[in-house]
Amino acid sequence: MNRIKKILPLMLAMALIITLAGCNGGDSGSPSSDASQSAVSADSSQAQSSPTDAPSDELKDLIVATGTDASTLDPHLCTDSATEVINKNIYQNLVRYTAEMEIVPELATEWTTSEDGKTWRFTLRDDLKFHDGTDFNAEAVKINFERILAEETASPRRSVFAMIESVTVVDPTHVDILTSYPCGSFLQQLCHPAGGMISPAAIETHGIENLGQNPCGTGPLMLKEWTPGEKLVFDIFQDYYAGAPKVKSVTMNIVPDSSTRAMLIESGQCDVALRLPVTEIERLRGDANLTVTEGSTVMTMYIALNNTKGALQDPNVRRALNLAVDIDSIVKNVVSNFSEAADSVISKHTWGHASIGAYPYDPEQAKQLLKDAGHENLEITLWTPVGRYLMDIQVAEAIQAQLADVGVTLNIQQWEFQALMEEVKKAEFDAVLLGWSPSTADADQGLYPVFHSTQHPPQSNRALYSNADVDTLLEQAREEVDATKRADLYKQAQQIIMDDAAWLLLYYPNQALVTTKDVSGIELIPTEHMLFANVEKK
Amino acid sequence: MAVYIAKKIGLTFVVLFCAATCSFFLLRLIPGDPAEALAGPQATQSDVAAVRASLNLDKPIPLQYTAYMGNLLKGDLGYSYRSRRPVLDEVLARWPNTLRLSLTSMLVAVVIGVPVGIFAARRRGKLGDTLSMGISFLGISMPSFWLGMLLILLFSVRFKLLPFYGMDSPLNYILPSLTLGLGIAANIARLTRVSMLEVLDQDYIRTARGKGVSEAGVVYVHALRNAAVSIITIIGLQLGALLGGQVVTETLFSWPGLGRMIVDALTARDYMVVQGGILVLALTFTILNLLTDICYAVLDPRIRL
C-alpha cells in the first residue's frame, strides 16, 4: 500500500508534464511568425488533418517523408538534389526528361534550329499561367534566362546556361535563343532543374534574397507553408495544364533518421518515403502493404586513380587494378544488387553512353601486369567519404580485400565529405572514391569536366587524366549538333578512356521510392528527380 | 543582489563576444570551403567563384570578422548561405522547440529523480535503496539513441500508444522527453540520495525529530530544502547540456531543434547559421547560470550574491 502511495504522485506528475507540454505547444508559433516570411508559420501545423479522415470520394492529403529540409526554392540558386526534387514539381522547364530519358515538350511545344546550329526557336504554350495568375509567355522566358546569367544573381548553376548569348522575344508565344557556339547538348541543358521558369512578377516582388521562400512557377505544386526543419506543405495548382494531381495537398515531412522514415511508412503514418538505405528497402520489399519502385540513375561510382602519381602513372598498373576487382561480386554482395556494374564511364541513362564493356575479373592477369610493370608489392591509399554514397565504406573494404589477393596493399582513409573535397583539390592523393552524376544527363557533362585536361583540380578531373585525343573528341562533340555524329565522337572518347583505365570503374547506383499500395503515379526520373504531376491516392 | 545581477549581465556580453570570436575563427580552421559546399561537387570554378563573391567569402578573414562583429552589434546575425534567410529567423524558428523539449525533459528528470533519490536515502542499505540505485546506474549507462529506439519500438511500433514523429500534440513530447530525461533522472536520483544522506545525519534534523516534527515534515521541509542547493546545481548544468546536446534525440524523433540545425549547417559549411546557433546557445546558457545563482540565494539565505 505504502509503495502505491509513492508511485501515485509520480503518475500524477507524468500527467502534469503532458498537460504542460500541451500548453507550451500552443504558443510555439509566435517566435517564428514574428519573422518576416509570410510563408513560414509554425501554428498552422495543428491544422493538418489526418489523411484517413477524408471520405472516400474526396481527394486525400499525400504525406511524404523526406530526409532533409529544402535549402532554397529558387531554382536558379538551388544546388542540392533533395531540393531539386521539390523544385521540379513547383517549376517547369521548356523541355523535360521522361522516365525513359526521352526529351519531351513541357512549356515549349516545339522547336527548330537554324542552319548554323546557334539559334533555337521555341514555340511556347499559349494557355499557361503561373501560380500567381500571371501569364507565361516569351517575355517570361527571356527574363528567366537573363536572371540566371546575370552577375548579381551569382547563380551556382550559371555555367549550365553560359552558352546562351541572347534571348529575343519574337512574339508572346515564340522565343529565339542564340548560343555562342553550336551547342550539341542544348536541349539536355534546358532539362536541368536550374532552367525552371519563375513568374516574372514574383522575381520583381521578391528579388534574389526572398524568392527562395516565396516560389512561384507553373508546376503542379504550390507552396502553402514552410516550417524550417519540420515540413513543407503544398497546395495543388488547379490550373496545372496537364490536369491537377488527384490529391488534396502534398506535405513533405522532414524526417532525418532513415529508420524513422521506414517505421513511418511501415506503420502507415506516411504515404511515400524517400531516400531509404538499401538495408531498409530490402526489409520493406516483403511488406504486402507497400510498393517499392526501383529505378536507375545517371550516376557512376568510381575510384579516381591519380594518373600523375607514382606507379599509378603507368596505364598497365591502372588496368591491373581494374582487372583485380570483382565488381559483380560487390554489386551482389555489398550493395545488394541495388546497382548495376558499369560498362562505361557514363551511365546507361546518360545521353551518349556507349557500352564499351568493363574489365573482366581476372586476378591472374592483374598479377602478371603488376609483375611486368615492376610493382608487385604496390601500396596505395584510398580516400573515401563516410556515408556520402551508398555503402561507401563497405565497398572500399571489399575492394581492399580483393586487391590484397593480387598483392596490392590498399590503405583506407576515411573523410568527412567537405574536408575530402578540399583536400582532393591539392591533387596529392593516390586514389579517391567518388560518384559523378551529370546533372544534364548528357555526355558533355558526363565526360568533359572529369576527363578534359583543362579540368584538373581544383576542377573536377580528379584523376588528373590527360589525353590529347580525348580532349579533341570532347571539344568536337561539344560543338556538334548532329546527334549521330556527336554520339560517335563520345563513343570514341569513352573507348580511349576505358583503354587508358583512367578510373577504377565501379557501378551505377539505383534509386528507390517506397509508397503505400494506395499511392500511384509518381514518376521516377533517372536524374534522381520525381514528378508528382500524375500522383493519385485512393 | 542587484549589483551581482548587473555584474553578471556585463559578463554575459564578454561571454557572447568570446563565443562569437571563437566560433568565427574555429569554423574557418575546419577544412572545407563554404562556396564549394554550396555550389556542389559538379560546379565549375567560375560558378564557385561567383558564389564566393556573393557571400563575401572572397574578402580577407580579418575584414570578414570586423564586418560580422559590426553587424552583430546592430543585432544582425547575417544570412544563411544555404537558404539566404536571415540567421535570426532560422534560429528563432528552432530555439523554442529545443527549449520546450529541454524543459519537459528536465521536468521528467526532476519528477522522477528527486523522489527516487529521497526514497533511496530513507531506505539506506535496504532492498529499495539497492534496487533504485541499481536501476539509476542503468539509466546513466544507457545511450540516448538506444533508449529512444527502444521506446519507439515498444510504445509506437508494438503497442501503438504514442507517436514518435511530429510535434502537433502534447503526446509527441512524451517519448523524446523520456529519452532525454531518464538519463538525467538517474543522475539526479543519485545526487539527491547522497545530499539527503548528508543532511539527514545533521544535528538539526535530530533536533527537529526531537521536537516532534512529523517524518514528512523532517524530510520534505527540513532536509530537502538544505539538500536542494546541490540538486539545483546539477539541474542548471544538465539543462545547459540539454539545450546544446540533443542532436541524436532530435534526429531520432525528427524534432526541428537547434542542435540538429547546427550540425546540418556544419555539414554544409553554412558558417553564419553555425555561428548564430552557438551565440544563442551561449546566451541561453549564461542566463541559465544566472537563474541558478538566484535560486541558490532564494533557497539558502546564507548565500549572498
Side-chain angles (χ1 to χ4, degrees), chain B residues 117 120-121 124 129 133 188-197:
Chain B
R124 175 165 35 167
D129 182 21
M133 284 307 106
I188 292 180
R190 296 180 81 82
L191 193 92
T192 306
R193 176 179 173 272
V194 173
S195 312
M196 285 296 283
L197 286 179

Side-chain angles (χ1 to χ4, degrees), chain A residues 10 13 18 24 28 31 37 71 79 154 156-157 159 213 226 228-229 253 255 260 269 416 418 425 437 458-459, chain B residues 33 36-39 41-42 45 47 54 82-83 85 89 94 96 100 107 111 164-165 170 252 254 256 260 267 269:
Chain A
L10 272 180
I18 296 164
N24 281 332
S28 67
Q37 310 109 39
S71 56
T79 56
R157 292 292 174 263
S159 59
Q213 291 101 259
W226 181 1
N253 285 325
V255 184
T260 309
Q269 292 184 64
E416 187 261 354
Q418 295 305 339
K425 278 196 263 178
S437 181
Q459 315 253 39
Chain B
D33 176 354
E36 199 109 5
L38 183 64
Q42 288 160 28
Q45 283 305 298
D47 287 343
S54 75
R82 204 165 157 259
S83 70
R85 274 204 199 105
D89 290 359
R94 289 172 171 83
R100 265 184 277 137
L107 207 60
V111 163
F164 61 97
Y165 168 76
L252 195 59
S254 316
R260 214 181 86 202
T267 315
R269 297 293 186 272

Side-chain angles (χ1 to χ4, degrees), chain A residues 72-351:
Chain A
T72 168
L73 299 180
D74 183 336
H76 300 169
L77 298 179
C78 170
T79 56
D80 61 303
S81 59
T83 312
E84 279 178 3
V85 168
I86 297 172
N87 281 338
K88 269 295 204 183
N89 291 287
I90 300 177
Y91 301 98
Q92 293 178 292
N93 300 34
L94 293 181
V95 290
R96 74 167 181 100
Y97 281 121
T98 63
E100 290 76 39
M101 294 307 280
E102 276 173 65
I103 295 178
V104 294
E106 194 163 46
L107 296 179
T109 50
E110 53 191 64
W111 50 88
T112 51
T113 7
S114 63
E115 282 277 299
D116 64 358
K118 293 209 292 199
T119 307
W120 293 74
R121 172 162 295 189
F122 289 91
T123 308
L124 309 173
R125 282 179 192 276
D126 57 1
D127 54 346
L128 279 183
K129 290 205 184 300
F130 286 104
H131 298 159
D132 58 6
T134 56
D135 288 333
F136 167 77
N137 51 30
E139 187 61 31
V141 176
K142 181 178 161 75
I143 291 172
N144 271 277
F145 282 119
E146 284 174 355
R147 180 178 189 259
I148 193 167
L149 293 170
E151 209 166 283
E152 58 270 23
T153 310
S155 167
R157 292 292 174 263
R158 187 184 181 280
S159 59
V160 176
F161 301 106
M163 76 293 289
I164 295 179
E165 206 144 78
S166 68
V167 182
T168 318
V169 175
V170 181
D171 61 51
T173 53
H174 290 90
V175 65
D176 279 352
I177 303 178
L178 176 70
T179 56
S180 54
Y181 59 90
C183 179
S185 63
F186 192 60
L187 287 176
Q188 284 88 333
Q189 310 283 126
L190 289 180
C191 293
H192 193 284
M197 293 288 144
I198 311 169
S199 152
I203 290 177
E204 179 77 28
T205 315
H206 301 296
I208 291 162
E209 297 301 332
N210 294 319
L211 193 111
Q213 291 101 259
N214 301 284
C216 183
T218 54
L221 302 189
M222 289 195 299
L223 182 68
K224 183 181 171 201
E225 71 172 87
W226 181 1
T227 316
E230 195 187 335
K231 66 179 169 190
L232 297 109
V233 182
F234 296 93
D235 278 335
I236 301 303
F237 182 40
Q238 293 304 332
D239 290 338
Y240 179 61
Y241 77 92
K246 293 186 184 61
V247 290
K248 200 168 120 204
S249 72
V250 175
T251 301
M252 299 234 176
N253 285 325
I254 294 130
V255 184
D257 187 65
S258 58
S259 15
T260 309
R261 288 201 293 282
M263 282 191 281
L264 279 173
I265 192 129
E266 259 184 306
S267 58
Q269 292 184 64
C270 73
D271 306 309
V272 183
L274 307 181
R275 291 174 190 250
L276 290 176
V278 67
T279 43
E280 296 286 1
I281 289 168
E282 286 307 304
R283 194 170 58 80
L284 296 180
R285 269 187 217 281
D287 193 321
N289 300 315
L290 302 177
T291 312
V292 177
T293 314
E294 200 172 326
S296 324
T297 65
V298 292
M299 189 187 247
T300 306
M301 288 301 300
Y302 67 100
I303 290 175
L305 302 167
N306 189 337
N307 285 215
T308 62
K309 197 176 174 194
L312 293 172
Q313 291 178 53
D314 184 345
N316 275 332
V317 172
R318 302 197 299 262
R319 283 179 201 124
L321 295 179
N322 273 288
L323 288 165
V325 174
D326 185 357
I327 302 296
D328 290 331
S329 142
I330 289 176
V331 166
K332 190 170 163 224
N333 301 314
V334 185
V335 291
S336 314
N337 285 320
F338 196 66
S339 295
E340 195 180 340
D343 62 358
S344 177
V345 287
I346 48 175
S347 80
K348 290 190 169 149
H349 288 287
T350 305
W351 193 97

Side-chain angles (χ1 to χ4, degrees), chain B residues 96-120:
Chain B
N97 300 336
T98 295
L99 194 67
R100 265 184 277 137
L101 185 56
S102 301
L103 290 178
T104 52
S105 307
M106 193 41 85
L107 207 60
V108 169
V110 172
V111 163
I112 297 175
V114 174
V116 169
I118 296 172
F119 168 83

Side-chain angles (χ1 to χ4, degrees), chain A residues 24-63:
Chain A
N24 281 332
D27 45 50
S28 67
S30 52
S32 72
S33 48
D34 282 345
S36 56
Q37 310 109 39
S38 54
V40 178
S41 140
D43 269 335
S44 39
S45 59
Q46 281 149 359
Q48 183 196 322
S49 60
S50 158
T52 48
D53 290 347
S56 58
D57 53 333
E58 266 182 37
L59 294 176
K60 294 176 180 170
D61 297 306
L62 185 79
I63 311 292

Side-chain angles (χ1 to χ4, degrees), chain A residues 343-467:
Chain A
D343 62 358
S344 177
V345 287
I346 48 175
S347 80
K348 290 190 169 149
H349 288 287
T350 305
W351 193 97
H353 166 268
S355 194
I356 306 294
Y359 284 87
Y361 175 54
D362 189 346
E364 289 312 313
Q365 199 195 339
K367 270 189 215 167
Q368 191 59 46
L369 279 174
L370 287 169
K371 195 178 167 194
D372 295 345
H375 294 293
E376 271 168 297
N377 297 308
L378 185 63
E379 184 170 346
I380 44 180
T381 302
L382 172 67
W383 290 0
T384 168
V386 185
R388 169 88 185 181
Y389 305 108
L390 169 74
M391 311 293 266
D392 40 22
I393 298 295
Q394 291 83 347
V395 169
E397 282 167 354
I399 293 169
Q400 181 182 43
Q402 293 178 355
L403 288 183
D405 291 344
V406 297
V408 175
T409 310
L410 189 76
N411 305 309
I412 296 174
Q413 196 172 332
Q414 302 180 11
W415 289 84
E416 187 261 354
F417 187 68
Q418 295 305 339
L420 172 70
M421 294 319 272
E422 180 81 7
E423 205 58 29
V424 162
K425 278 196 263 178
K426 296 177 191 159
E428 285 162 3
F429 59 91
D430 295 339
V432 55
L433 178 83
L434 291 169
W436 185 255
S437 181
S439 48
T440 57
D442 184 85
D444 179 54
Q445 174 77 10
L447 297 173
Y448 194 95
V450 277
F451 293 112
H452 197 277
S453 63
T454 56
Q455 304 293 310
H456 283 190
Q459 315 253 39
S460 303
N461 184 348
R462 297 181 175 107
L464 290 100
Y465 176 71
S466 296
N467 184 314

